[in-house]
Structure formats: C-alpha cells, structure tokens
Amino acid sequence: MIEVKPLPFEKSSVENFLSESTFNFHHDKHLVNYVNTTNALIANTPFENLSLVELVKKAEGPLFNNAAQVFNHNFYFDGLSKEKTQCYGKVKELLEKNFGTVDSFFAKFIEAATKNFGSGWTWLVQLPNGSLEIQNTQNANNPLTSNLKPLLTVDVWEHAYYLDYQNRRADYLKDFCQHINWNFVNANLDKNFS
Ligand code: MN
C-alpha cells in the first residue's frame, strides 16, 4: 500500500512563498485523496505490492492518474525549501552546460511553466545521454513513463498556487525558483527511478 509522505518542513514555515492554508489543502486534502484512491484501486490486485515508481510505470487509466499524482506531489514537495536557496553542486555545472547560466535556466523554466496550458507539471529531466531538458506534462503525466530521469518539478495545477497567487502563475513560478531544495535535485542525479 502507498503511504502519505509527510511534508519535509512545517506547513507554516515557508515564508514569502506558500501559506499554511495552501499546504492544508494541497498536502492534507489533494495528496491524501490521491493516496486513498490509489490504495482503494490496488487493494486485492497484483498491483498491491508494487513500489510507487513501478505502479506509475505499469498502471493505466484512473490508477495511473492517481498513482502518478502521488509520485508527482511527493517529488514537488521534496523539491521545495522553506528558505531561499542558491543552486550549487553537480546540477549547477549541468545547468550551466545546458542553459548557459542558472538564471537563464530559470527564465526558460518559468516560460515553459507559464505556457503549460491547463493543469499539469513542468519538469527538469535528465536524458539518457546525460543532458538536461525542460519538459511540460499534462494532468498526471510525468517523465517516468518515457524512461527519463526526473530532477525537479513544479505543480502548475491552479490548486498549487491559487490561494496565495490567484491568477499570477508567473509570480508563483518566480518565487518557486528561489525556494528549490537543491540537495534534493543533486541527489536525484544519482538515483535510479526503476
Ligand atoms: Mn497539486
């Protein structure tokens, strides 16, 4: 069965970005609902003992939608930092190699996420040849099903930012870029998502 992953910080601690109220809905209602629905769908089926990543790669239809939303939300919350951060380490080298500077990566990431029409996610992924790329996905879709390595994601479903930013998605994205948990992003470079 899939468990609800706790937030890696206090809900009230992310100053000048997302409010406790946003996390009350986003983590405690939306994510919990995706986890509960996933568990109801896998109960007494061969999917019951799969890991979350295996589930996402093998499921289809409503089970895929719910399991992928669990993965995506865990990945998004783990990628957030309650404090403002600076990019560092191996991922900084790779961003500079692929996008010129970290700031020009931010500009391209924000542009892609702003143009991601409707509900979806914007990702930084690593391709099999080692290079980095920005990808938009719709609804629950994510890079795991294309066998790409996810490094970072931002949730652009309106429920992610509407309480704090209303229609100002670009402002949410600008603040997101200042609150990235780069420890998490660097660690993902060495992870095997299979
Ligand atoms: Mn969400």
Side-chain angles (χ1 to χ4, degrees):
M1 305 300 271
I2 302 302
E3 288 178 359
V4 177
K5 199 171 193 292
L7 284 170
F9 41 73
E10 292 292 319
K11 281 186 277 193
S12 59
S13 67
V14 188
E15 286 174 19
N16 303 318
F17 182 28
L18 296 169
S19 63
E20 182 172 10
S21 180
T22 285
F23 290 114
N24 283 337
F25 283 97
H26 202 183
H27 181 273
D28 299 356
K29 305 282 185 205
H30 288 278
L31 172 60
V32 167
N33 186 48
Y34 292 129
V35 170
N36 290 342
T37 307
T38 300
N39 284 333
L41 290 169
I42 62 176
N44 305 311
T45 77
F47 289 107
E48 202 171 33
N49 297 314
L50 296 186
S51 72
L52 183 56
V53 169
E54 288 170 325
L55 256 185
V56 170
K57 289 186 172 183
K58 288 180 179 163
E60 290 177 351
L63 178 56
F64 171 80
N65 288 337
N66 283 277
Q69 282 293 77
V70 175
F71 177 87
N72 297 352
H73 281 90
N74 290 347
F75 207 81
Y76 167 68
F77 291 135
D78 282 346
L80 294 180
S81 166
K82 63 177 181 170
E83 278 131 15
K84 288 194 176 180
T85 54
Q86 294 286 329
C87 184
Y88 77 95
K90 177 79 182 160
V91 78
K92 182 168 188 271
E93 284 172 34
L94 288 171
L95 288 173
E96 287 169 349
K97 190 174 164 196
N98 287 272
F99 300 97
T101 63
V102 173
D103 280 343
S104 86
F105 158 69
F106 284 152
K108 289 193 170 79
F109 190 77
I110 289 169
E111 187 190 359
T114 305
K115 289 179 176 168
N116 194 349
F117 189 77
S119 295
W121 301 80
T122 298
W123 303 81
L124 175 67
V125 300
Q126 188 173 39
L127 307 185
N129 68 8
S131 66
L132 305 192
E133 202 172 279
I134 295 165
Q135 291 198 348
N136 282 340
T137 61
Q138 299 303 301
N139 301 316
N141 289 312
N142 68 40
L144 294 179
T145 51
S146 321
N147 280 317
L148 299 177
K149 182 180 282 195
L151 301 179
L152 175 73
T153 194
V154 65
D155 190 343
V156 294
W157 287 54
E158 282 188 350
H159 69 224
Y161 59 88
Y162 216 82
L163 290 177
D164 297 316
Y165 292 86
Q166 296 80 45
N167 60 323
R168 294 176 291 113
R169 187 191 282 191
D171 289 343
Y172 157 69
L173 294 166
K174 230 166 92 188
D175 289 345
F176 171 85
C177 287
Q178 302 213 306
H179 287 84
I180 293 169
N181 178 352
W182 293 105
N183 301 333
F184 174 74
V185 185
N186 272 301
N188 287 330
L189 285 169
D190 299 322
K191 252 182 235 164
N192 183 5
F193 293 88
S194 56

